[in-house]
Amino acid sequence: MSSTESPGRTSDKAPRPQVDRLLVGLRWRRLEEPLGFIKVLQWLFAIFAFGSCGSYSGETGAMVRCNNEAKDVSAIIVLFGYPFRLHRVQYEMPLCDDDSTSKTMHLMGDFSAPAEFFVTLGIFSFFYTMAALVLYLRFHNLYTENKRFPLVDFCVTVSFTFFWLVAAAAWGKGLTDVKGATRPSSLTAAMSVCHGEDAVCSAGATPSMGLANLSVLFGFINFFLWAGNCWFVFKETPWHGQGQDQGQGPSQESAAEQGALEKQ
């Protein structure tokens, strides 16, 4: 029995050394340092940012009560969401006459530009921080020995800092416009049937913007994370070492000159 079971056991344990070798090569203690720990936060909050914005969906609505003999009451429910091209969202406006029953209407506004830029930036941040974490944990020697990697990392970090500020501010403004365009009062104001004496309109479902508000908050959190990480990445660049050498240079020369004077 032992001879028949031994091949199966060796085949099950064969891949283990490769996995163990890969895990041993990862320097998990780098996550305890600010450079690695902030990268983990950047990776997580990038997911929160583009996930909360890209998965948002809401609904708004209104009630239309016709003043005709049938006293028809129509409930209008309009669904909208990412990427917030509201001018393509259709709904049916009831007509309180005998000629036709409804008329196709559209919401107003196109706010896809700031929303798509926000989500795209979050996705790029997610992939970059994931690649940077692999470099920090598995190939740390390559990162410290090759001076180009810290310089590239610093330039990319500064760029992402600027882009997150722009994206969060632009999406915050765009979300404010989305709220204004999807209010039930804006819906009733756009329907001509609500301005005459043939119908009485009232507000319906109010859209819940909690998830969208969180996306803006996550955007500014990403900005502060990238801005704070600029200093820790800059410390890894040769520029930081040159600054220290220039600061220490005059003090060493002055000490040597003072020693020579003492010998004389």
Side-chain angles (χ1 to χ4, degrees):
M1 294 295 293
S2 60
S3 61
T4 59
E5 293 178 356
S6 57
R9 292 179 180 178
T10 54
S11 61
D12 294 338
K13 295 182 179 180
R16 293 295 299 275
Q18 297 179 358
V19 177
D20 295 340
R21 194 179 304 112
L22 178 63
L23 295 177
V24 170
L26 296 176
R27 297 191 176 185
W28 298 105
R29 290 188 176 181
R30 287 285 296 172
L31 298 179
E32 300 177 0
E33 302 177 3
L35 194 62
F37 180 71
I38 295 179
K39 283 296 182 185
V40 174
L41 294 180
Q42 291 173 341
W43 182 73
L44 289 175
F45 279 96
I47 299 175
F48 296 157
F50 73 78
S52 58
C53 180
S55 63
Y56 176 81
S57 63
E59 67 176 37
T60 184
M63 299 289 294
V64 179
R65 181 177 181 273
C66 296
N67 293 328
N68 53 15
E69 295 180 358
K71 302 295 183 182
D72 296 331
V73 178
S74 301
I76 302 174
I77 298 177
V78 185
L79 302 178
F80 65 95
Y82 179 83
F84 303 99
R85 294 187 178 96
L86 301 183
H87 65 288
R88 297 183 181 180
V89 179
Q90 298 181 356
Y91 63 95
E92 297 296 326
M93 180 187 69
L95 297 176
C96 298
D97 53 27
D98 298 332
D99 296 336
S100 58
T101 57
S102 63
K103 178 182 178 181
T104 302
M105 300 285 292
H106 296 80
L107 294 179
M108 298 179 62
D110 182 7
F111 310 100
S112 59
E116 290 179 340
F117 177 67
F118 186 86
V119 171
T120 302
L121 182 62
I123 294 174
F124 276 110
S125 298
F126 167 77
F127 284 114
Y128 178 77
T129 50
M130 186 168 56
L133 282 173
V134 173
L135 183 63
Y136 293 155
L137 300 179
R138 186 64 180 86
F139 306 101
H140 182 249
N141 293 333
L142 182 62
Y143 184 82
T144 55
E145 293 175 0
N146 193 337
K147 300 302 181 182
R148 293 183 179 179
F149 285 104
L151 291 176
V152 172
D153 191 17
F154 176 72
C155 294
V156 173
T157 301
V158 173
S159 300
F160 270 108
T161 301
F162 172 74
F163 287 138
W164 270 118
L165 178 61
V166 174
W171 172 228
K173 176 61 171 59
L175 180 58
T176 301
D177 296 336
V178 169
K179 292 178 180 179
T182 57
R183 285 197 302 261
S185 59
S186 300
L187 193 64
T188 56
M191 293 189 295
S192 59
V193 70
C194 298
H195 300 291
E197 298 179 355
D198 296 334
V200 176
C201 299
S202 59
T206 301
S208 176
M209 293 291 183
L211 189 61
N213 292 331
L214 283 177
S215 67
V216 178
L217 177 62
F218 290 144
F220 282 104
I221 291 177
N222 274 285
F223 162 69
F224 288 115
L225 286 174
W226 286 90
N229 200 34
C230 287
W231 166 247
F232 297 105
V233 178
F234 175 75
K235 290 174 65 176
E236 302 292 331
T237 62
W239 297 334
H240 182 261
Q242 291 176 0
Q244 288 184 342
D245 295 340
Q246 292 177 0
Q248 295 176 359
S251 62
Q252 294 177 353
E253 294 176 359
S254 60
E257 292 177 359
Q258 184 177 0
L261 291 175
E262 291 179 354
K263 290 182 180 180
Q264 292 179 358

